Amino acid sequence: MSTDVPETDDILVIEGLGKSYSGHVVLRDISFRVRKGEAVVLIGSSGSGKSTCLRCLNRLEEPTTGTITLTGTPITGPRVDLNSLRRRIGMVFQGIHLYPHKTALGNVTLALRKVLGLSAQEAEQRARIQLERVGLADKEGHYPSQLSGGQQQRVGIARAMALEPQVMLFDEPTSALDPELVGEVLTVMKRTKEAGMTMVVVTHEMQFAREVADRVIFLDKGTILANGTPEEILIRPEHPRIQEFLARTRS
């Protein structure tokens, strides 16, 4: 299973990434590349390091070792402008972090005004485009308490996408949702991929991984056990550990 891709296509390069907490190793020697427009899905058991890896990619967690570059520019190190970095790498979290006192439109426009410095009119115009893309044009005046969990998560996706990032990170965005609401969020993510967005996704939704991923990376105890196509990892896995994991997800 090859992990090398042409450097001219790489948008995100992770080399030797490690993360420890008080001597406890969570990630060890994580290395992979993400091409522009590619969807890379990270899978593995709980505690395997998937979410920590994702959070290191936009420096919500500080890597202990290794380097990360975005379009050829190092984004690890003390001198990196984290606010600028997080405009370039958007993230949607497990929990739904919306401001309860702001409408769907207000939640999306806030970052556009505070981070990008857009006028109220410019911010609302861009926000409405993104709300339409996630199927919530008719909910712009609704507050989070008036929206379902799936709708709230779609507002979160619209908010991240409105900043026009180069890469989108999704950290188990359906894990907090009732089963009947999962599909609507996954559909929006599929459309996001089809529109050409580069994505790194942590998920337990194996069907989504099979349908959307260009590559699947299996993490086990903080290391990459396998990196390959969905067919190699999810359909015909060679490693017994991956076979065991997939058997449990089907049961």
Side-chain angles (χ1 to χ4, degrees), residues 10-226:
D10 295 338
I11 192 168
L12 197 60
V13 178
I14 299 92
E15 295 182 320
L17 183 69
K19 178 64 180 177
S20 300
Y21 299 98
S22 302
H24 174 63
V25 177
V26 179
L27 296 174
R28 182 184 291 105
D29 195 25
I30 300 293
S31 299
F32 64 95
R33 297 168 180 256
V34 183
R35 290 184 297 231
K36 184 177 181 180
E38 188 176 37
V40 174
V41 173
L42 308 183
I43 66 171
S45 299
S46 297
S48 60
K50 306 181 302 297
S51 291
T52 300
C53 178
L54 207 67
R55 291 170 66 87
C56 284
L57 298 187
N58 73 344
R59 299 282 302 281
L60 285 172
E61 296 282 357
E62 193 65 27
T64 306
T65 59
T67 61
I68 305 168
T69 59
L70 177 66
T71 60
T73 302
I75 60 172
T76 39
R79 297 184 180 181
V80 174
D81 182 341
L82 294 182
N83 288 329
S84 175
L85 169 64
R86 289 168 190 157
R87 289 198 297 269
R88 300 171 66 193
I89 302 181
M91 188 162 185
V92 176
F93 299 88
Q94 295 181 34
I96 302 168
H97 303 293
L98 299 182
Y99 291 101
H101 63 288
K102 290 188 175 295
T103 63
L105 185 67
N107 267 280
V108 179
T109 58
L110 183 64
L112 293 172
R113 297 183 67 182
K114 297 293 186 181
V115 177
L116 298 187
L118 299 184
S119 68
Q121 183 177 1
E122 290 173 319
E124 288 185 2
Q125 182 179 20
R126 188 183 291 192
R128 286 192 172 102
I129 291 171
Q130 293 302 328
L131 286 172
E132 183 176 3
R133 286 177 176 169
V134 299
L136 293 175
D138 60 337
K139 304 291 185 183
E140 68 171 52
H142 287 55
Y143 290 89
S145 62
Q146 299 171 305
L147 301 172
S148 71
Q151 290 170 335
Q152 291 180 46
Q153 193 62 290
R154 284 189 279 157
V155 172
I157 295 173
R159 179 176 57 186
M161 291 291 294
L163 294 174
E164 298 181 349
Q166 294 172 287
V167 179
M168 278 288 294
L169 310 178
F170 293 88
D171 186 9
E172 297 192 38
T174 61
S175 64
L177 302 179
D178 292 335
E180 66 267 23
L181 302 177
V182 169
E184 65 186 70
V185 174
L186 295 180
T187 296
V188 169
M189 292 171 64
K190 290 176 186 178
R191 291 174 182 164
T192 301
K193 166 63 166 61
E194 290 166 0
M197 175 57 66
T198 305
M199 299 164 54
V200 184
V201 182
V202 171
T203 185
H204 285 102
E205 301 289 339
M206 294 300 104
Q207 184 62 34
F208 172 82
R210 283 190 287 271
E211 293 176 0
V212 176
D214 295 293
R215 280 187 301 121
V216 176
I217 294 175
F218 187 91
L219 270 67
D220 185 54
K221 297 178 181 178
T223 64
I224 292 179
L225 200 61

